[in-house]
Amino acid sequence: MNTRGFASDNNSGVSPEVIEKLKAVNQGHVVGYGDDPYTLEALNVLKNQFGPDCHPYLVFTGTAANVLSIASMEKPYHSVFCAETAHIQVDECGAPERFTGCKLIPVATKNGKLDPGMLEPHMTGFGFEHHAQPGLISISQPTELGTVYTLAELKALADFAHSQGMLLHVDGARLANAAVSLGVSFREMTSDTGVDLLSFGGTKNGLLAAESVIIFRPEMLAGFKYIRKQAMQLSSKMRFIAAQFLAYFENDLWKKNALHSNRMAQKLFHAVKDIEGVTITQEVQANGVFAIIPGYAIPLLQDAYFFYVWNDKTGEVRWMTSFDSTEEDIDRFAGRLKEILKRD
Amino acid sequence: MNTRGFASDNNSGVSPEVIEKLKAVNQGHVVGYGDDPYTLEALNVLKNQFGPDCHPYLVFTGTAANVLSIASMEKPYHSVFCAETAHIQVDECGAPERFTGCKLIPVATKNGKLDPGMLEPHMTGFGFEHHAQPGLISISQPTELGTVYTLAELKALADFAHSQGMLLHVDGARLANAAVSLGVSFREMTSDTGVDLLSFGGTKNGLLAAESVIIFRPEMLAGFKYIRKQAMQLSSKMRFIAAQFLAYFENDLWKKNALHSNRMAQKLFHAVKDIEGVTITQEVQANGVFAIIPGYAIPLLQDAYFFYVWNDKTGEVRWMTSFDSTEEDIDRFAGRLKEILKRD
Amino acid sequence: MNTRGFASDNNSGVSPEVIEKLKAVNQGHVVGYGDDPYTLEALNVLKNQFGPDCHPYLVFTGTAANVLSIASMEKPYHSVFCAETAHIQVDECGAPERFTGCKLIPVATKNGKLDPGMLEPHMTGFGFEHHAQPGLISISQPTELGTVYTLAELKALADFAHSQGMLLHVDGARLANAAVSLGVSFREMTSDTGVDLLSFGGTKNGLLAAESVIIFRPEMLAGFKYIRKQAMQLSSKMRFIAAQFLAYFENDLWKKNALHSNRMAQKLFHAVKDIEGVTITQEVQANGVFAIIPGYAIPLLQDAYFFYVWNDKTGEVRWMTSFDSTEEDIDRFAGRLKEILKRD
Amino acid sequence: MNTRGFASDNNSGVSPEVIEKLKAVNQGHVVGYGDDPYTLEALNVLKNQFGPDCHPYLVFTGTAANVLSIASMEKPYHSVFCAETAHIQVDECGAPERFTGCKLIPVATKNGKLDPGMLEPHMTGFGFEHHAQPGLISISQPTELGTVYTLAELKALADFAHSQGMLLHVDGARLANAAVSLGVSFREMTSDTGVDLLSFGGTKNGLLAAESVIIFRPEMLAGFKYIRKQAMQLSSKMRFIAAQFLAYFENDLWKKNALHSNRMAQKLFHAVKDIEGVTITQEVQANGVFAIIPGYAIPLLQDAYFFYVWNDKTGEVRWMTSFDSTEEDIDRFAGRLKEILKRD
């Protein structure tokens, strides 16, 4: 049995229901590439969750969902504004630039969240052919720092984007964690606030490899299926991605998983926040805990539990809880940390 | 239960062993993105199959494996020669051009197979900056027309490519079917003949979504992992692609499946070849049967079994067998065809 | 003094009027990047020539004009049909694919000219996401083989393109030679026949480095200026490209030059066609003469006059006349050829 | 006669010697695309200036020279660090990203100059496939803010880049102005300090449209000519770009022009620095003067002399002198500014 840790929610496996569903759809032949009843059903489920005017497309990875969201604009001369901590900026190896041609413009933030005031100074050069044209604001919900935008903040960003003739994209690789954190539906958080493009992820919350691009603007659909194919994201046996989303929404598996991992993050936060030597650096609003711990403690703790150092300079580390984290895992982890720091 | 047909080997589901293996690796946490023991094991299994000097990379789709094979050259000014029926030419929506920048040059063939003589006239413009530089020969084994290159033919193409300073890529989306057709090992068919780049597929032979790029030239590896990431093909929960390949090679599942589907193609071939009105158009060497049937018969047969018309002008149709095709399926299909044509 | 030959019309220098015009506009400061009165005037001159609804953009090279014409569609999943001898296919090093992402599909022709019948078999896969979507027909007028489409042929291609939801692009690097060959205006040959996108060249007919993209569809303009900038074709001192076009249309310099070079091609044709050992391979309709001569004669003739072998296998050679070719040049060239072949 | 102003050094025309040289090379036929004696001579002149191991390539625009410098690395997964004011970041419409696929990472500076300390925090993620790989440092000499790196600063950046396995690129669109500012040769500033890639411009210092990419690493040359062609920067009548560089180095025209425009910038600086209401914001080390003036004064001054507002928020403006600026131009401009501000 592999040890459960706090390195990333994608270090976990998948919910058993997911594999059961893979087995359930493994019956005879169906047309490939998404023209099958399981995919049709999954798309309908997604429409129910996000609003009848949205158009979901299934893909394999979160990076693909982000890149395809940008690519859906079909404007390689657009610029994309994002937090300097955004996944598209620091964790996708330049895939957005390579595939879309767009320029990414990172904006410094304190907690991973953008607001219109931060973007205002960049609203220049419209119509000036020397400048990449401001085209998209891309945010992560929750952010890479575990913070969550309120509905009002989302709406403010969408309104701002639209007032500038731009679109708003949400990287929702962990959107379920944000939804349960805010206690709102997916629809309230997306189509109701004015989101135009969404990367909706399932992999980090108990699925195997199932992500989607959800487009809320019908006028952007005509070419998208070709772009997905060009991005090498059209699954031949699509029913097996569809099956994962079917499992995700049956009996609210998504909610159960996200509530659990968020709760585990809270438990972890409370278990470590008062340990001497530990400084929590970000509000814990989803399933991530960010902290600064003494440099010497990092490798000692990593010996038992692999995790990522977020910032080499400050010693900030990131601990992610997962759908399968247990209370015992956290007790043991916090206990080990306490033990290490006590030696100080 | 969904009806089994002959539209494509990717209309089938997956071998039960595959789902069992997904379940088996679904244990606790492992490091993401391929730094896990299951992936390590799968890569070792692939190296055993293809030769110790090969370097396999796991990806999601066959299109991705092909595009990444071309991209691994890192030369957007290269041209790629392929049969005009090649998957990269007609079935990937221009993904190779978009992602790699390379020019594809289609070459007419009779049976989907290239040979040096067909390529010779294109060996021009080396060093001439106005021409895309001849860089790669890409063939499919088996071809899209169900024919299979012999080892000697493969070696001749590899030698020719190398004599021109070019590389040889094999689109092996159905490589298992070719291996059992020839009765040779993967290694004999690839590293031993001089293949440089291979797309090795599993999805069409009973896996869920598991393909790989296998690079036989160590000098091409330095940048490849970044290119895979940029191509949005780096799976976070990589163990689940690895698991599929583990299942594929346990108890020679790949061979069992491929032998079966090839045998079913032979059965289908023999069941229909003498029906009046049916003209078999290609040698049946793997798991595809190509035939011309009267135009009126096509929709009537499709009513019962969906399949693709390969060539609208000639009425040529394609029937693919799969790992799960049964003798009864074929008897029923051939019976239905006979019945339709008898009415004539 | 450098010897004049028949290698290419771009081996010539420029009409003296062009340099005089460069000098004339070299006065004080004007706003850069095209917002200057000379550029405004040149664009107006072009509109007068091509029709009031066209929108011309100045660029540096013919390859750029072609690539930008394709890029103006903003659809990297489109395919572009062209003759297999087209400049975009064989002489641009894959620039169209690299910059636009589109797939080029070469079509075999006898004389460099396409017609709807040749394209008909390729009209497949519309709406099918596996196929690059048929988007553009690109022809050269005159063709790379020195032949010229009639107005009726142009119209037939435009109508065919539009009937399929496609556009028609004309590579008019030598459009002046076609215009005088047909005895028609630029407008009759382009907007009146239904051409959608035009590369209009001047460099090969006596200018220095002045080409343009002319867009006949206003709905395609919104993003084009950014695309030109991204293609590195926005000249800072644009007035000097503009000046070349101003000189081109003053006193019909374009026509004088093109009439002369076409006339010289006719003279060359008549001077060589009856020499024993010379087979003229294409109709001489513009300023190129194609012929097959004995292999041994090629290097002997090249000793005196550099020119290109068009086809290594057949021994076909290409001789281009230019705005500055003289009757004496041709007499001497034909004399030399006769002398060489007499030795036979 | 168009009024001379201070908007940009590319609003000027060209030195008369340049047009004379265009006329001089306009003689008969020479082989196209750079295989002509004039181009050979120009390349030799450039080698003499920059060092015998450099390899110069002629192109049309400064944006092209920059983009091609990045593209010469042939690594679309590289990141490029630059000042947030860099031309490649703010003035090229995303051309670097679109053509090369690379990610640009802007770094904040006070005066347009980078130093190793500013780059140090970005030296992360080497070998980590999720990160674009640090590949290039790109600086401008002089900077977009008119400041000039010392030789020691250049060497420090080159050494730093090399210590990290990276390369150093210099955007030298105005390199002549830096050379005369420092009183050093081009070679001392480039190959002697360790520069790997250079965009060497002439257009802003009296040429018409002549720029070059100079590569100081022979191992990067093999593919470069194809990349230039793909970038649509291969001039057919190359002799006319070559002629401009020949004129540039005959009788040290480059030096005469740059000395003059730098001297005019000094004169302008001294003429305005003590006017009440004027705050000079950058050291005047080349041919640009940056100043903050009251908002109301900007349009009044622009009425007489068009120039660019550099920063809308602060009211900072940019005035560039040119090879053809005269003392009277500056007296009149400063006089007008004084007059406007006196009204205050």
Side-chain angles (χ1 to χ4, degrees):
Chain A
M1 178 65 170
N2 307 301
T3 315
R4 283 185 303 274
F6 303 93
S8 176
D9 32 10
N10 63 33
N11 284 16
S12 64
V14 305
S15 290
E17 295 90 331
V18 171
I19 292 187
E20 287 315 304
K21 185 60 89 176
L22 294 179
K23 197 181 271 183
V25 304
N26 189 29
Q27 306 276 349
H29 286 203
V30 294
V31 177
Y33 302 106
D35 287 335
D36 67 89
Y38 307 111
T39 303
L40 186 62
E41 190 186 344
L43 297 181
N44 281 333
V45 168
L46 286 166
K47 284 189 188 196
N48 285 341
Q49 293 284 335
F50 288 92
D53 294 334
C54 80
H55 293 78
Y57 294 82
L58 309 186
V59 298
F60 290 105
T61 73
T63 292
N66 289 337
V67 170
L68 280 168
S69 293
I70 299 171
S72 71
M73 299 192 299
E74 302 189 6
K75 302 291 175 208
Y77 44 86
H78 272 181
S79 55
V80 177
F81 299 97
C82 61
E84 66 180 5
T85 48
H87 201 267
I88 57 171
Q89 174 67 7
V90 296
D91 285 314
E92 300 183 355
C93 199
E97 286 91 343
R98 178 164 188 181
F99 190 75
T100 74
C102 290
K103 173 180 279 300
L104 268 63
I105 298 185
V107 177
T109 73
K110 283 196 177 150
N111 58 2
K113 291 162 71 172
L114 291 176
D115 67 41
M118 296 173 188
L119 294 163
E120 183 62 58
H122 294 279
M123 295 301 103
T124 61
F126 289 96
F128 189 53
E129 71 212 282
H130 304 269
H131 276 280
Q133 292 297 293
L136 188 70
I137 299 168
S138 176
I139 62 172
S140 301
Q141 170 78 325
T143 70
E144 286 75 11
L145 298 174
T147 53
V148 174
Y149 288 91
T150 65
L151 294 191
E153 288 169 338
L154 291 172
K155 191 165 180 341
L157 278 164
D159 289 349
F160 177 75
H162 301 157
S163 75
Q164 302 285 337
M166 300 169 72
L167 301 181
L168 179 64
H169 166 250
V170 172
D171 176 353
R174 297 183 177 97
L175 199 69
N177 299 90
V180 301
S181 175
L182 294 174
V184 301
S185 71
F186 288 126
R187 184 170 174 171
E188 288 170 283
M189 205 169 19
T190 56
S191 50
D192 290 0
T193 60
V195 169
D196 302 293
L197 295 163
L198 172 68
S199 302
F200 177 58
T203 313
K204 286 189 155 83
N205 191 34
L207 302 189
L208 193 149
E211 307 280 322
S212 58
V213 177
I214 303 184
I215 300 179
F216 293 88
R217 298 177 78 97
E219 74 273 19
M220 295 176 68
L221 301 175
F224 190 74
K225 66 179 177 177
Y226 308 110
I227 302 175
R228 176 175 62 174
K229 176 65 183 174
Q230 288 196 314
M232 305 160 262
Q233 293 294 320
L234 181 65
S235 179
S236 58
K237 296 185 175 174
M238 186 80 89
R239 61 169 125 170
F240 294 106
I241 302 185
Q244 298 176 57
F245 278 114
L246 291 175
Y248 203 46
F249 287 106
E250 260 177 31
N251 305 315
D252 282 346
L253 175 63
W254 70 270
K255 189 181 279 184
K256 198 186 79 179
N257 282 356
L259 277 170
H260 180 78
S261 60
N262 281 13
R263 200 164 54 80
M264 289 300 102
Q266 287 301 325
K267 182 176 165 71
L268 176 57
F269 165 60
H270 288 287
V272 302
K273 75 182 169 64
D274 297 325
I275 300 176
E276 205 176 319
V278 173
T279 309
I280 301 297
T281 53
Q282 294 290 340
E283 275 196 78
V284 179
Q285 298 180 323
N287 66 323
V289 177
F290 287 74
I292 292 176
I293 62 172
Y296 77 88
I298 293 174
L300 294 175
L301 187 59
Q302 282 175 328
D303 269 359
Y305 299 94
F306 176 68
F307 58 86
Y308 291 98
V309 176
W310 189 253
N311 186 324
D312 283 320
K313 321 288 170 192
T314 62
E316 191 178 18
V317 299
R318 184 189 78 161
W319 299 318
M320 300 300 295
T321 55
S322 173
F323 78 93
D324 65 349
S325 303
T326 68
E327 308 222 343
E328 295 69 37
D329 293 338
I330 288 163
D331 291 340
R332 242 178 269 129
F333 180 82
R336 178 74 187 119
L337 177 59
K338 209 173 288 181
E339 193 181 45
I340 289 167
L341 293 179
K342 207 175 288 168
R343 297 181 189 165
D344 201 7
Chain B
M1 179 64 170
N2 307 301
T3 315
R4 282 185 303 275
F6 302 93
S8 175
D9 31 12
N10 63 33
N11 283 17
S12 65
V14 305
S15 290
E17 295 90 330
V18 172
I19 292 187
E20 287 316 304
K21 186 58 91 177
L22 294 179
K23 197 182 271 184
V25 304
N26 190 28
Q27 306 277 348
H29 286 202
V30 295
V31 176
Y33 302 106
D35 287 334
D36 67 88
Y38 306 111
T39 304
L40 186 62
E41 191 186 343
L43 297 181
N44 281 332
V45 168
L46 286 166
K47 284 190 188 195
N48 285 340
Q49 293 286 333
F50 288 93
D53 295 333
C54 79
H55 292 77
Y57 294 81
L58 310 185
V59 299
F60 289 105
T61 73
T63 293
N66 288 338
V67 170
L68 279 168
S69 293
I70 300 171
S72 72
M73 299 191 298
E74 304 188 5
K75 301 290 174 208
Y77 44 86
H78 272 181
S79 55
V80 178
F81 300 96
C82 61
E84 65 180 5
T85 49
H87 200 266
I88 58 171
Q89 175 67 6
V90 295
D91 285 315
E92 300 184 355
C93 199
E97 286 91 344
R98 179 165 187 181
F99 190 75
T100 74
C102 291
K103 171 180 280 299
L104 267 63
I105 298 184
V107 177
T109 74
K110 284 197 177 148
N111 57 3
K113 289 163 72 171
L114 292 176
D115 67 41
M118 297 173 187
L119 294 163
E120 184 62 58
H122 294 280
M123 296 300 104
T124 62
F126 289 96
F128 189 52
E129 71 211 283
H130 303 270
H131 276 282
Q133 291 298 294
L136 189 70
I137 299 168
S138 177
I139 61 172
S140 301
Q141 170 77 325
T143 70
E144 286 74 12
L145 297 175
T147 53
V148 173
Y149 288 91
T150 65
L151 294 191
E153 288 169 336
L154 291 171
K155 190 165 180 343
L157 278 164
D159 289 349
F160 177 75
H162 301 158
S163 76
Q164 302 285 338
M166 300 169 73
L167 301 182
L168 179 64
H169 166 250
V170 173
D171 176 353
R174 297 182 177 98
L175 199 68
N177 299 89
V180 301
S181 175
L182 294 174
V184 301
S185 71
F186 289 126
R187 185 169 171 172
E188 288 171 281
M189 205 172 15
T190 55
S191 49
D192 290 0
T193 60
V195 169
D196 302 293
L197 295 162
L198 173 68
S199 303
F200 176 58
T203 312
K204 286 187 155 84
N205 191 34
L207 301 189
L208 192 148
E211 306 280 321
S212 57
V213 177
I214 303 184
I215 300 178
F216 293 87
R217 297 176 79 98
E219 75 273 19
M220 295 176 69
L221 301 174
F224 190 75
K225 66 179 177 176
Y226 309 110
I227 301 174
R228 176 175 62 174
K229 176 65 184 171
Q230 288 196 315
M232 305 161 263
Q233 293 294 321
L234 182 64
S235 178
S236 59
K237 296 184 175 175
M238 186 80 88
R239 60 169 126 170
F240 294 106
I241 302 185
Q244 298 176 58
F245 278 113
L246 291 175
Y248 202 48
F249 287 106
E250 261 177 31
N251 306 316
D252 283 346
L253 175 63
W254 70 271
K255 188 181 281 184
K256 199 187 75 179
N257 282 356
L259 278 170
H260 180 77
S261 59
N262 281 13
R263 199 163 55 79
M264 290 300 102
Q266 287 300 326
K267 182 176 164 69
L268 177 56
F269 165 62
H270 287 287
V272 302
K273 74 182 170 67
D274 298 324
I275 300 176
E276 205 176 319
V278 173
T279 309
I280 300 296
T281 53
Q282 295 290 341
E283 274 196 78
V284 179
Q285 298 178 325
N287 66 324
V289 178
F290 287 75
I292 292 177
I293 61 173
Y296 77 86
I298 293 175
L300 293 174
L301 188 59
Q302 281 174 327
D303 268 359
Y305 298 93
F306 176 69
F307 57 85
Y308 292 98
V309 176
W310 189 254
N311 186 325
D312 283 319
K313 320 287 168 191
T314 62
E316 190 179 17
V317 300
R318 185 189 77 162
W319 301 317
M320 301 299 298
T321 56
S322 174
F323 78 94
D324 64 349
S325 303
T326 68
E327 308 220 343
E328 295 70 36
D329 294 338
I330 288 163
D331 291 340
R332 243 179 267 129
F333 180 83
R336 178 73 187 122
L337 177 59
K338 208 173 290 182
E339 191 181 46
I340 290 167
L341 292 180
K342 208 174 290 170
R343 300 181 188 166
D344 200 10
Chain C
M1 178 65 167
N2 307 301
T3 314
R4 283 184 304 274
F6 302 93
S8 175
D9 32 9
N10 62 32
N11 282 18
S12 64
V14 305
S15 290
E17 294 90 332
V18 172
I19 292 188
E20 288 315 303
K21 185 60 90 176
L22 294 179
K23 198 182 270 186
V25 304
N26 190 28
Q27 306 276 348
H29 285 204
V30 295
V31 176
Y33 301 106
D35 287 334
D36 67 88
Y38 307 111
T39 303
L40 187 62
E41 190 185 343
L43 298 181
N44 280 333
V45 167
L46 287 166
K47 285 190 187 195
N48 284 341
Q49 293 285 333
F50 288 92
D53 293 333
C54 79
H55 292 78
Y57 294 81
L58 309 186
V59 299
F60 290 105
T61 73
T63 293
N66 288 337
V67 170
L68 280 167
S69 292
I70 300 171
S72 72
M73 299 192 299
E74 302 188 6
K75 300 292 175 208
Y77 44 86
H78 272 180
S79 55
V80 177
F81 299 96
C82 60
E84 67 179 6
T85 49
H87 201 268
I88 59 171
Q89 175 66 7
V90 296
D91 284 315
E92 300 185 353
C93 198
E97 287 90 343
R98 179 165 187 180
F99 190 75
T100 74
C102 290
K103 172 180 279 299
L104 267 63
I105 299 185
V107 177
T109 73
K110 284 196 176 151
N111 58 2
K113 289 162 74 172
L114 292 176
D115 67 40
M118 297 173 189
L119 294 162
E120 184 63 59
H122 294 280
M123 296 300 103
T124 62
F126 289 95
F128 189 51
E129 71 211 280
H130 303 269
H131 276 280
Q133 292 297 295
L136 188 70
I137 298 169
S138 177
I139 61 172
S140 301
Q141 170 77 328
T143 71
E144 286 74 11
L145 297 174
T147 52
V148 174
Y149 288 92
T150 64
L151 294 192
E153 288 169 339
L154 291 172
K155 192 167 179 339
L157 278 164
D159 288 349
F160 177 75
H162 300 157
S163 76
Q164 301 286 337
M166 301 170 73
L167 301 182
L168 179 64
H169 166 249
V170 172
D171 176 353
R174 297 184 178 97
L175 200 69
N177 299 91
V180 301
S181 176
L182 294 174
V184 301
S185 71
F186 288 125
R187 186 169 171 170
E188 288 170 283
M189 206 171 16
T190 56
S191 50
D192 289 0
T193 59
V195 169
D196 302 294
L197 294 163
L198 172 69
S199 303
F200 176 59
T203 312
K204 285 187 156 84
N205 191 34
L207 301 189
L208 192 149
E211 306 280 321
S212 58
V213 177
I214 302 184
I215 300 179
F216 294 86
R217 298 176 78 98
E219 74 274 18
M220 296 177 67
L221 301 175
F224 190 74
K225 66 180 178 177
Y226 309 111
I227 302 173
R228 176 175 62 173
K229 174 66 183 173
Q230 288 195 316
M232 305 161 263
Q233 293 293 322
L234 181 64
S235 178
S236 59
K237 296 184 175 174
M238 186 81 89
R239 61 169 126 171
F240 294 106
I241 303 185
Q244 298 176 57
F245 279 114
L246 291 176
Y248 202 49
F249 287 106
E250 260 176 31
N251 306 314
D252 283 345
L253 175 63
W254 69 271
K255 189 180 281 186
K256 197 187 78 181
N257 282 356
L259 278 169
H260 179 78
S261 59
N262 281 14
R263 199 163 56 79
M264 290 299 102
Q266 287 300 326
K267 181 177 167 69
L268 176 57
F269 165 61
H270 288 287
V272 301
K273 74 184 170 63
D274 298 325
I275 300 176
E276 204 177 319
V278 173
T279 310
I280 300 297
T281 53
Q282 295 291 341
E283 276 196 78
V284 180
Q285 298 179 323
N287 65 323
V289 177
F290 287 74
I292 292 177
I293 62 173
Y296 77 88
I298 294 175
L300 294 174
L301 188 59
Q302 281 175 327
D303 268 0
Y305 299 92
F306 176 68
F307 58 85
Y308 292 98
V309 176
W310 189 256
N311 187 322
D312 281 320
K313 320 288 169 191
T314 61
E316 190 179 17
V317 298
R318 184 189 78 162
W319 300 318
M320 301 299 296
T321 55
S322 174
F323 77 94
D324 64 349
S325 303
T326 67
E327 307 220 344
E328 295 70 37
D329 293 339
I330 288 163
D331 291 340
R332 241 179 269 130
F333 181 83
R336 178 75 187 122
L337 176 60
K338 209 172 290 183
E339 192 181 47
I340 291 167
L341 293 179
K342 207 173 292 167
R343 297 181 191 166
D344 202 6
Chain D
M1 176 63 169
N2 306 300
T3 313
R4 283 185 303 275
F6 302 93
S8 175
D9 32 11
N10 63 32
N11 283 17
S12 63
V14 306
S15 290
E17 294 90 332
V18 172
I19 292 188
E20 288 314 304
K21 186 60 88 175
L22 294 179
K23 198 181 269 185
V25 303
N26 190 29
Q27 307 276 347
H29 285 204
V30 295
V31 176
Y33 301 106
D35 288 334
D36 67 89
Y38 306 112
T39 303
L40 187 62
E41 190 185 344
L43 298 181
N44 280 333
V45 167
L46 286 166
K47 284 191 187 195
N48 284 340
Q49 293 285 333
F50 287 92
D53 295 333
C54 79
H55 292 77
Y57 294 81
L58 308 186
V59 299
F60 290 106
T61 73
T63 292
N66 288 337
V67 170
L68 279 168
S69 293
I70 299 171
S72 72
M73 298 191 300
E74 302 188 7
K75 301 291 174 207
Y77 44 85
H78 271 181
S79 55
V80 177
F81 299 96
C82 61
E84 65 180 7
T85 48
H87 200 267
I88 58 172
Q89 174 66 8
V90 296
D91 284 315
E92 300 184 354
C93 199
E97 287 90 344
R98 178 164 187 180
F99 190 75
T100 74
C102 291
K103 172 180 279 300
L104 267 62
I105 299 186
V107 177
T109 73
K110 284 198 176 145
N111 58 2
K113 290 162 71 172
L114 292 175
D115 67 41
M118 297 173 187
L119 294 163
E120 184 61 58
H122 293 279
M123 295 301 104
T124 62
F126 290 95
F128 189 53
E129 70 210 284
H130 304 269
H131 277 280
Q133 292 297 294
L136 189 69
I137 298 169
S138 177
I139 61 173
S140 302
Q141 171 75 329
T143 70
E144 286 76 12
L145 298 174
T147 53
V148 174
Y149 288 91
T150 65
L151 294 192
E153 287 169 338
L154 290 172
K155 190 165 181 339
L157 279 164
D159 288 348
F160 177 75
H162 301 157
S163 75
Q164 301 285 337
M166 301 169 73
L167 301 182
L168 179 64
H169 166 249
V170 172
D171 176 354
R174 296 183 177 98
L175 200 69
N177 300 90
V180 301
S181 175
L182 293 174
V184 302
S185 71
F186 288 126
R187 185 170 171 172
E188 288 171 282
M189 207 171 15
T190 56
S191 50
D192 290 0
T193 60
V195 168
D196 302 294
L197 294 163
L198 172 68
S199 303
F200 176 58
T203 313
K204 285 188 156 82
N205 191 34
L207 301 189
L208 192 150
E211 307 279 321
S212 59
V213 177
I214 302 183
I215 300 179
F216 294 86
R217 297 175 79 99
E219 74 273 18
M220 297 177 67
L221 300 175
F224 190 75
K225 65 180 178 176
Y226 309 111
I227 302 174
R228 176 175 61 174
K229 175 66 183 172
Q230 288 195 315
M232 304 161 262
Q233 293 294 320
L234 182 65
S235 179
S236 58
K237 296 186 175 173
M238 186 80 90
R239 62 170 126 169
F240 295 106
I241 302 185
Q244 298 176 58
F245 277 114
L246 291 174
Y248 202 50
F249 288 106
E250 261 176 32
N251 305 315
D252 282 347
L253 175 63
W254 69 270
K255 189 181 280 187
K256 197 187 77 179
N257 282 357
L259 277 169
H260 179 78
S261 60
N262 281 14
R263 201 163 54 79
M264 289 299 102
Q266 287 300 326
K267 181 176 167 69
L268 176 58
F269 166 61
H270 287 288
V272 302
K273 76 182 168 64
D274 298 325
I275 299 176
E276 206 177 318
V278 174
T279 308
I280 301 298
T281 53
Q282 295 290 340
E283 276 197 77
V284 179
Q285 299 179 323
N287 66 323
V289 177
F290 287 76
I292 293 177
I293 61 173
Y296 77 89
I298 293 175
L300 294 174
L301 188 58
Q302 282 174 326
D303 269 0
Y305 300 93
F306 176 69
F307 57 86
Y308 291 98
V309 176
W310 190 254
N311 186 324
D312 282 320
K313 321 288 169 188
T314 61
E316 190 179 17
V317 298
R318 184 189 79 162
W319 300 319
M320 301 299 295
T321 55
S322 173
F323 78 94
D324 64 349
S325 303
T326 67
E327 307 221 343
E328 294 70 37
D329 293 338
I330 288 163
D331 291 340
R332 243 179 268 129
F333 180 82
R336 178 73 187 121
L337 177 59
K338 210 172 288 182
E339 193 181 42
I340 290 166
L341 293 179
K342 209 174 288 169
R343 298 179 190 166
D344 199 9

